[in-house]
Amino acid sequence: SLYDAIVVRPERMLSGFDPGSGFYYSVARLAGPDWYFLTTMPRELLRWQAFQSAQWVLWSGLVSLALVLGFLATTLRRQIAQPLAELTRATRQMSGGDASARANVGRDDEFGALAGAFNEMTGRVASREEELRQLNQELEQRVDLRTSELKAANRSLAEAREEALRMLARERELNELKSDFVSLVSHEFRTPLEVIMSSVDNLDRYHDRLAPEKREQLLRTINKSVRRMAGMMEEVLVLGRVESGKMEFKPVPFDLLAFCHRVADELRSASNNHCPIEVHTDGVPQFVLGDENVLRHILGNLISNAVKFSADGQPVTLAVSRNGSDVTFRVIDRGCGIPAVDQQRLFQAFHRGSNVRQIPGTGLGLVIVQRCVDLYAGNIQWESVEGRGTTFTVTLPLLAKAAEPDPAI
């Protein structure tokens, strides 16, 4: 039995398992005659208690493990995750173009060193970006300055080119004028000079043998040629005064109706009544404000051309009318007209129509007319059909101010 098994063993304290009874035991030998202190525990109870203890230890271990893991997670979050999140935020901010991004990691470990290196790098990037921005601004300013200089240079070149072209065109025009003037002198002046020389030579050689009528005819020929040359020289001189700005323009009140009839009578007499000159002045005030001498150049040249380029006996009309504060002069002829090809050069000095080369003239009359119209700040228009006649219309502001009769008129 259990007692027999304990007695035979010499140890003072022992423990074991008794298969017969199914108990775990623990024995302590006491002082005295064969006394023992025996503690037994059924095997099933011990198993149950061991299971309970193991279960408690297991749950305690799990709770401890959970606490340790929570602590580790909290520690990791505070020590690792937060610095990493701050570095991630700063990195994203910098990648978005904000060079002022900084990682706020107040640590002395590797994360603090990493954040410090990151902040130093972003500081350098921001400094470099500021330098680049300043360099770009300086470069833009330099580009703008160079662009402005280039534009100014281009404008200067364009202006110089335009000026050169104008000078070239002016030189060509002057060359053409020179050529036309030489042609005028060689033809228009030579012809009357030859007539004068021939007439003078005849008078010198045959004066005593010439009949009075013949001598009178030669004198009239000389007089006509001289007047023709004087008229051409006068046109050249008038054009020179106008072009140089020396033509005086002094508007004063004068009798327009008497002036128009006087000009018509003078030209009718100068042309030996080659063409009748009709004057119509219906509805026009008697007194106007203008320069009579300048107006004489305008009407004299227009009517003279109309008579010159009309056949003998064809009427020439001067129609004067009022148009508000302006006076309109229309000179109408039924002569040879102006070819369309010549109308583009109508106011070019020394240019003459291709269908009137056989008629004496300088080609300066219409140029003088246009310059004189400009002095009046008026305008001139024309209509012409070759073979049917020409109409020139001149509008002048002669009634812009009320004109009172001059007591000296």
Side-chain angles (χ1 to χ4, degrees):
S1 66
L2 179 58
Y3 180 77
D4 294 334
I6 293 172
V7 170
V8 296
R9 296 183 65 171
E11 297 91 343
R12 289 189 62 187
M13 297 181 70
L14 66 152
S15 60
F17 176 71
D18 181 21
S21 61
F23 283 90
Y24 286 95
Y25 62 89
S26 177
V27 178
R29 193 182 299 275
L30 300 177
D34 296 327
W35 284 10
Y36 296 91
F37 182 76
L38 173 64
T39 302
T40 62
M41 182 175 288
R43 184 176 184 180
E44 293 298 328
L45 178 61
L46 183 60
R47 284 181 178 179
W48 183 81
Q49 289 182 349
F51 177 75
Q52 291 293 326
S53 298
Q55 189 177 21
W56 183 85
V57 170
L58 178 62
W59 282 109
S60 298
L62 290 176
V63 171
S64 300
L65 180 61
L67 292 174
V68 171
L69 290 176
F71 175 76
L72 290 176
T74 302
T75 302
L76 288 175
R77 176 178 176 80
R78 185 173 60 186
Q79 300 294 328
I80 297 177
Q82 288 181 350
L84 286 177
E86 178 65 17
L87 286 171
T88 301
R89 180 199 63 76
T91 303
R92 288 177 179 175
Q93 184 179 355
M94 184 176 179
S95 65
D98 187 1
S100 63
R102 296 292 185 274
N104 298 319
V105 179
R107 302 276 294 276
D108 295 330
D109 54 5
E110 290 79 1
F111 285 106
L114 180 60
F118 176 83
N119 292 336
E120 182 179 359
M121 178 189 68
T122 55
R124 291 178 179 178
V125 170
S127 176
R128 185 60 178 169
E129 188 179 60
E130 180 64 21
E131 292 177 0
L132 289 176
R133 187 181 64 81
Q134 293 179 357
L135 289 175
N136 286 335
Q137 289 180 350
E138 293 178 0
L139 181 60
E140 289 177 357
Q141 292 175 355
R142 291 180 181 178
V143 169
D144 292 339
L145 179 61
R146 296 295 183 271
T147 301
S148 300
E149 292 176 352
L150 287 174
K151 288 182 178 179
N154 288 334
R155 284 195 299 269
S156 299
L157 288 174
E159 292 174 357
R161 181 176 179 274
E162 292 178 359
E163 182 64 22
L165 291 176
R166 284 195 298 268
M167 293 179 63
L168 181 60
R170 182 61 177 170
E171 183 178 358
R172 289 176 180 173
E173 182 180 353
L174 290 175
N175 288 333
E176 291 180 1
L177 289 176
K178 179 181 177 181
S179 177
D180 293 337
F181 182 74
V182 170
S183 176
L184 170 71
V185 171
S186 63
H187 182 268
E188 297 297 334
F189 280 77
R190 184 178 61 184
T191 300
L193 282 174
E194 290 177 349
V195 171
I196 293 173
M197 292 177 61
S198 175
S199 299
V200 170
D201 185 62
N202 287 332
L203 287 172
D204 183 49
R205 290 185 180 184
Y206 311 109
H207 182 272
D208 296 336
R209 286 178 287 177
L210 291 174
E213 294 81 6
K214 184 63 175 179
R215 289 197 299 266
E216 185 179 352
Q217 180 183 357
L218 291 174
L219 290 174
R220 283 198 301 269
T221 301
I222 293 173
N223 182 52
K224 181 179 179 181
S225 298
V226 170
R227 288 169 58 188
R228 175 180 171 185
M229 291 182 61
M232 290 188 293
M233 289 301 300
E234 177 64 20
E235 289 184 347
V236 173
L237 293 175
V238 170
L239 181 62
R241 290 200 302 272
V242 173
E243 293 290 353
S244 63
K246 295 181 180 180
M247 171 72 77
E248 294 184 350
F249 181 74
K250 298 180 179 179
V252 295
F254 68 96
D255 189 337
L256 178 62
L257 303 184
F259 172 80
C260 292
H261 287 284
R262 186 166 59 252
V263 171
D265 291 339
E266 291 173 358
L267 292 174
R268 191 182 300 112
S269 175
S271 64
N272 294 322
N273 293 317
H274 176 69
C275 294
I277 302 176
E278 303 173 354
V279 180
H280 302 288
T281 58
D282 296 336
V284 180
Q286 180 178 1
F287 291 94
V288 296
L289 185 65
D291 190 308
E292 190 172 344
N293 185 49
V294 176
L295 184 58
R296 183 182 297 276
H297 286 300
I298 296 174
L299 297 183
N301 278 288
L302 291 178
I303 297 175
S304 177
N305 284 347
V307 172
K308 184 190 304 183
F309 301 130
S310 297
D312 190 14
Q314 286 186 337
V316 172
T317 303
L318 170 62
V320 187
S321 60
R322 178 173 183 171
N323 184 15
S325 61
D326 299 332
V327 174
T328 300
F329 302 87
R330 299 178 70 238
V331 178
I332 307 167
D333 69 67
R334 299 161 185 81
C336 59
I338 304 172
V341 68
D342 293 319
Q343 294 186 22
Q344 297 178 356
R345 304 175 62 187
L346 196 60
F347 297 101
Q348 180 177 328
F350 302 111
H351 177 73
R352 306 192 67 214
S354 57
N355 59 340
V356 294
R357 299 290 172 82
Q358 73 284 358
I359 302 176
T362 61
L364 298 177
L366 290 179
V367 181
I368 294 173
V369 169
Q370 185 186 43
R371 300 296 190 272
C372 291
V373 170
D374 292 340
L375 288 177
Y376 263 104
N379 66 80
I380 180 170
Q381 299 177 346
W382 72 93
E383 297 177 0
S384 183
V385 178
E386 187 175 5
R388 297 179 58 182
T390 303
T391 298
F392 277 94
T393 303
V394 176
T395 303
L396 304 177
L398 299 178
L399 303 175
K401 295 181 180 179
E404 297 297 335
D406 191 340
I409 297 178

